[in-house]
């Protein structure tokens, strides 16, 4: 067993680590993509140590890292013009080019191929270290073969401690997924492995970009492959990963149908409130850069949690670096993707007194719609012992009725007159409400409903809007609403106003809704507006 040390990325430490490289040892180094396990690219025996430490199959070639263009000529036998253009555009940076190798590069580096993958990293510590060593460094990702690539020095330590002497700590890798690997043609590139440098980036330099089959599909063992690394299952946590295609609500339905006590989900930031099973997030839904940065740590996080056997993962967008994120997840799940049948979850909300209840009734009359009444959900949640206990602790025993339940009327009065109290109540109520709403949606989906309405006065406040595929808001002029609330709830003008003032303004709803119902005229007008929306929603399901 080696006593693995982690060194800061300083000049003195580079000198120490250089000695190891020149003695024929391996050193783990930071790059802007992932950590690499580096050895002198000219030293065949040192290269063998990389394969041993990682447990890497011998037929999977390594990438050679260079500090400057001068070094490129020490590694390849020719530099085509297109390669030079690409180097100018993207080096230093996360691009690996497959080029004809020269004789100084041993077969062990290229797994016997007559080409070599070359990359000039942008990470200052990587560049400085290669320059200090004075030789090109062959380096695959510094993980145990088959595991997610390391994006921190701690990840490397976790995988390789005892097997290597030295890790240079350069902080968290900025990109988070490995470099784009390309075969260079004449005014064209073929992407063998997607990365941060994307199709659109390449199109600024060459006129044709193609993507190798291995990016999307599982390659047969006996088929010749463009990039040998792409044929292995990769990036896998110990648990079995399955990607579930579809909207968030589809995903939830699949999870509720298929989860057991050893299941976790891998979802986007903010979606964790929907699940009451272990949850790992990997960035915001529309932020591929962030997803790339977080994915590998998220996959490792799954292993850090005990006893998880299956992970259902949300499918990332495939644009830009998103294609790399998708490709890594595909490999993590061994190309297993399931798709869900289409459904539309409709959030129905709006101002109190605006006529939401009437609109809800119109939806209820149509038997194609399943309805989740979020008022009823909140009435159920408030009886949950843990919720009740927290409310009594805060609001006092005087909020309890004789039967031991919370006095909702008194509570309502108090929170609509006091913002701080309202915020507290919401913080206690909304998380379990969202979980319960989601459960009821899934039950309706299982009963065969494809159209589900969440009738939810506090749709946005509770966060339940995130599972909605579309939102319908009901609005009405303030005077009309005040009248309605006073007569409906038997309230004073002031109480009604308090209630109205606690809500968001029209603009808030308008900007977040696909459909806005203006309920200022006759019931017939209201009916007609709802009918129109129902027609459009049905068309969504039928794929028109
Ligand atoms: O960002 C990266 O590229 C990181 C950091 C450390 O630089 N390195 C990395 O190396 O990801 P590795 O070994 O994990 O992946 C190298 C990939 C493999 O898929 C391999 O098959 C491919 O590059 N490759 C290397 N040489 C090749 C060649 N001559 N022809 C085709 N594919 C090659
Ligand atoms: Mg690797």
């Amino acid at each position: 067993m080696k006593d693995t040390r982690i060194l800061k990325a300083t000049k003195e430490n580079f000198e120490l680590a250089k000695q190891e490289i020149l003695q024929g040892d391996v050193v783990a180094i930071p790059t802007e993509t992932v950590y690499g396990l580096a050895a002198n690219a000219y030293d065949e025996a040192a290269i063998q140590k990389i394969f041993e430490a990682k447990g890497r199959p011998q037929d999977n070639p390594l990438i050679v890292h260079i500090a400057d263009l001068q070094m490129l000529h020490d590694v390849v036998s020719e530099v085509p013009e297109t390669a030079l253009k690409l180097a100018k555009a993207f080096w230093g940076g996360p691009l690996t080019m497959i080029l004809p190798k020269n004789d100084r590069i041993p077969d062990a580096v290229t797994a016997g191929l007559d080409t070599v993958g070359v990359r000039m990293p942008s990470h200052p510590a990587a560049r400085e270290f290669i320059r200090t060593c004075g030789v090109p460094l062959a380096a695959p990702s510094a993980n145990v073969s088959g595991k997610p690539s390391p994006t921190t020095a701690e990840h490397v330590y976790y995988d390789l401690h005892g097997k290597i002497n030295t890790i240079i700590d350069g902080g968290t890798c900025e990109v988070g997924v490995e470099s784009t690997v390309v075969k260079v043609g004449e005014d064209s590139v073929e992407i063998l492995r997607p990365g941060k440098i994307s199709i659109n980036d390449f199109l600024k330099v060459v006129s044709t970009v193609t993507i190798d089959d291995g990016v999307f599909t599982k390659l047969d063992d006996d088929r010749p492959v463009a990039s040998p690394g792409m044929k292995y299952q990769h990036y896998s946590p110990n648990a079995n990963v399955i990607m579930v295609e579809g909207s968030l609500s589809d995903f939830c339905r699949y999870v509720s149908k298929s989860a057991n006590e050893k299941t976790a989900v891998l979802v986007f930031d903010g979606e964790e409130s929907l699940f009451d099973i272990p949850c790992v997030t990997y960035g915001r839904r529309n932020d591929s850069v962030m997803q790339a940065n977080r994915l590998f740590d998220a996959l490792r996080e799954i292993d850090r949690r005990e006893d998880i056997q299956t992970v259902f993962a949300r499918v990332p967008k495939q644009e830009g670096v998103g294609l790399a994120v998708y490709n890594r997840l595909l490999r993590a799940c061994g190309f297993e993707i399931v798709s869900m049948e289409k459904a539309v979850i409709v959030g129905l909300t709006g101002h109190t007194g605006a006529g939401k209840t009437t609109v809800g009734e119109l939806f209820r009359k149509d038997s194609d719609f399943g309805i989740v009444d979020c008022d009823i959900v909140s009435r159920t949640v408030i009886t949950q012992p843990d919720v009740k206990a927290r409310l009594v602790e805060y609001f006092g025993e005087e909020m309890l009725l004789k039967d031991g339940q919370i006095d909702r009327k008194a509570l309502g009065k108090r929170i609509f007159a006091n913002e701080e109290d309202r915020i507290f109540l919401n913080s206690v109520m909304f998380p379990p409400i969202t979980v319960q709403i989601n459960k009821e949606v899934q039950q309706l989906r299982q009963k065969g409903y494809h159209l589900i309405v969440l009738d939810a006065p506090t749709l946005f406040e509770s966060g339940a809007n995130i599972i909605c595929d579309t939102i319908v808001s009901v609005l009405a002029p303030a005077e009309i609403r005040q009248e309605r609330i006073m007569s409906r709830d038997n309230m004073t003008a002031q109480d009604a106003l308090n209630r109205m003032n606690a809500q968001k303004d029209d603009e808030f709803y308008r900007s977040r809704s696909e459909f806005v119902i203006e309920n200022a005229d006759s019931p017939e007008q209201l009916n007609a507006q709802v009918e129109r929306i129902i027609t459009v929603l049905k068309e969504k399901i039928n794929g028109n």
Side-chain angles (χ1 to χ4, degrees):
M1 283 286 274
K2 295 186 169 162
D3 192 10
T4 306
R5 59 181 178 173
I6 300 183
L7 300 180
K8 291 229 160 61
T10 63
K11 259 198 162 58
E12 299 76 55
N13 287 336
F14 290 160
E15 285 298 331
L16 287 177
K18 166 190 173 179
Q19 300 309 324
E20 297 190 57
I21 291 285
L22 297 184
Q23 281 161 23
D25 236 317
V26 298
V27 173
I29 61 166
T31 84
E32 70 279 18
T33 55
V34 301
Y35 276 72
L37 185 60
N40 179 351
Y42 299 139
D43 182 343
E44 178 133 28
I47 299 300
Q48 286 309 335
K49 291 185 185 168
I50 293 179
F51 285 91
E52 274 158 36
K54 278 181 60 88
R56 182 177 174 106
Q58 295 284 346
D59 66 348
N60 192 2
L62 310 179
I63 292 172
V64 174
H65 297 69
I66 57 175
D68 48 46
L69 277 182
Q70 188 49 47
M71 252 188 202
L72 178 61
H73 296 277
D74 301 336
V75 176
V76 304
S77 62
E78 59 169 308
V79 183
E81 202 186 318
T82 306
L84 212 52
K85 275 198 209 159
L86 290 165
K88 279 213 180 90
F90 304 119
W91 277 358
L95 170 69
T96 297
M97 289 193 266
I98 308 297
L99 296 169
K101 87 175 188 78
N102 79 14
D103 296 341
R104 290 186 72 185
I105 298 295
D107 279 349
V109 170
T110 63
L113 299 172
D114 52 11
T115 53
V116 58
V118 195
R119 138 166 153 82
M120 188 197 293
S122 64
H123 196 294
R127 287 279 278 285
E128 180 69 28
F129 184 59
I130 305 167
R131 213 172 285 124
T132 305
C133 293
V135 290
L137 297 180
S141 48
N143 49 297
V144 164
S145 203
K147 292 283 139 199
S149 295
T151 54
T152 64
E154 289 72 33
H155 292 167
V156 180
Y157 186 85
Y158 183 87
D159 273 16
L160 298 180
H161 70 90
K163 296 181 179 156
I164 63 175
N165 288 324
T166 302
I167 301 167
I168 295 175
D169 185 352
T172 302
C173 301
E174 188 194 323
V175 177
V177 289
E178 306 86 342
S179 60
T180 311
V181 178
V182 296
K183 233 156 78 180
V184 181
E186 218 171 285
D187 196 26
S188 69
V189 299
E190 178 175 21
I191 297 178
L192 304 183
R193 180 179 74 181
K196 167 92 186 293
I197 311 287
S198 67
I199 300 171
N200 282 337
D201 295 329
F202 286 120
L203 284 173
K204 290 179 192 139
V205 180
V206 295
S207 47
T208 314
V209 179
T210 52
I211 303 178
D212 183 65
D213 280 354
V215 170
F216 297 108
T217 42
K218 196 173 185 143
L219 301 169
D220 300 341
D221 280 350
D222 44 357
R223 205 180 105 172
V225 290
S227 179
M230 299 299 271
K231 80 181 176 198
Y232 297 105
Q233 171 136 2
H234 253 111
Y235 315 112
S236 303
N238 296 326
N240 184 26
V241 183
I242 297 167
M243 274 206 272
V244 182
E245 211 162 41
S247 67
L248 177 56
S249 61
D250 294 337
F251 180 84
C252 292
R253 175 170 157 247
Y254 187 85
V255 171
S256 76
K257 190 175 68 148
S258 318
N260 60 34
E261 67 283 0
K262 297 199 167 163
T263 307
V265 289
L266 178 62
V267 298
F268 300 122
D269 291 2
E271 296 175 353
E272 60 272 37
S273 59
L274 293 168
F275 304 94
D276 53 5
I277 59 177
C279 227
V280 177
T281 59
Y282 74 104
R284 288 196 292 265
R285 188 161 71 91
N286 289 318
D287 190 341
S288 301
V289 171
M290 191 178 187
Q291 289 164 20
N293 182 266
R294 296 251 307 268
L295 178 69
F296 288 150
D297 186 60
L299 290 173
R300 284 171 177 267
E301 170 67 25
I302 292 165
D303 276 348
R304 292 194 286 267
R305 311 242 179 139
E306 265 164 43
D307 230 22
I308 292 176
Q309 283 178 355
T310 310
V311 182
F312 297 121
R314 294 268 281 137
V315 179
K317 293 220 163 84
Q318 294 170 40
E319 283 147 38
V321 72
L323 182 63
V325 176
Y326 177 74
N327 166 265
R328 305 307 189 270
L329 258 176
L330 254 185
R331 312 190 76 74
C333 69
F335 296 88
E336 194 174 351
I337 300 194
V338 296
S339 306
M340 292 303 293
E341 228 181 323
K342 216 162 160 186
V344 175
I345 313 299
V346 185
L348 173 61
T349 189
H351 287 133
T352 172
K356 196 181 60 57
T357 311
T358 316
V359 174
E361 278 158 12
L362 292 171
F363 276 111
R364 279 179 176 79
K365 274 192 196 147
D366 188 316
S367 61
D368 283 350
F369 286 88
I371 313 280
V372 178
D373 186 327
C374 301
D375 262 341
I376 298 181
V377 170
S378 93
R379 265 176 249 166
T380 321
V381 164
I382 210 168
T383 64
Q384 290 175 3
D386 48 333
V387 171
K388 211 167 79 180
R390 287 189 65 195
L391 296 183
V392 171
E393 188 187 35
Y394 181 94
F395 290 103
E397 298 274 345
E398 69 265 26
M399 278 299 155
L400 285 178
L401 291 167
K402 283 206 189 73
D403 65 0
Q405 291 305 336
I406 298 277
D407 183 346
R408 296 180 63 247
K409 204 149 189 205
L411 187 63
K413 200 157 171 164
R414 180 142 164 204
I415 59 143
F416 284 113
N418 180 322
E419 191 175 1
E420 207 177 299
D421 289 350
R422 189 167 68 242
I423 290 172
F424 175 79
L425 179 73
N426 291 348
S427 74
V428 175
M429 294 285 289
F430 285 153
I433 285 180
T434 313
V435 167
Q436 184 59 30
I437 288 174
N438 195 35
K439 277 191 183 151
E440 296 196 10
V441 168
Q442 303 324 322
Q443 284 162 7
L444 287 167
R445 288 291 281 116
Q446 277 160 37
K447 285 184 188 158
Y449 285 101
H450 296 277
L451 288 163
I452 292 165
V453 174
L454 301 191
D455 187 347
T458 52
L459 182 74
F460 293 106
E461 293 84 344
S462 67
N465 60 307
I466 66 167
I467 55 164
C468 297
D469 301 302
T470 184
I471 287 169
V472 179
S473 288
V474 188
L475 304 180
E479 320 78 67
I480 298 185
R481 286 189 275 138
Q482 191 176 11
E483 289 271 311
R484 286 204 191 118
I485 298 170
M486 285 165 65
S487 67
R488 180 189 70 192
D489 300 341
N490 200 8
M491 270 188 190
T492 65
Q494 187 56 49
D495 281 345
L497 254 188
N498 284 346
R499 207 156 266 227
M500 288 166 62
N501 288 339
Q503 295 199 308
K504 314 275 189 206
D505 61 14
D506 282 11
E507 184 39 38
F508 177 89
Y509 287 104
R510 284 186 204 287
S511 62
R512 289 167 176 76
S513 307
E514 185 177 358
F515 304 99
V516 177
I517 294 175
E518 309 279 355
N519 186 14
D521 300 310
S522 63
E524 291 73 31
Q525 286 261 4
L526 183 65
N527 267 340
Q529 292 182 66
V530 177
E531 282 309 320
R532 222 172 304 132
I533 293 170
I534 287 181
T535 309
V536 176
L537 292 174
K538 289 187 179 178
E539 279 169 1
K540 282 189 194 240
I541 285 298
N542 299 324
N544 295 334

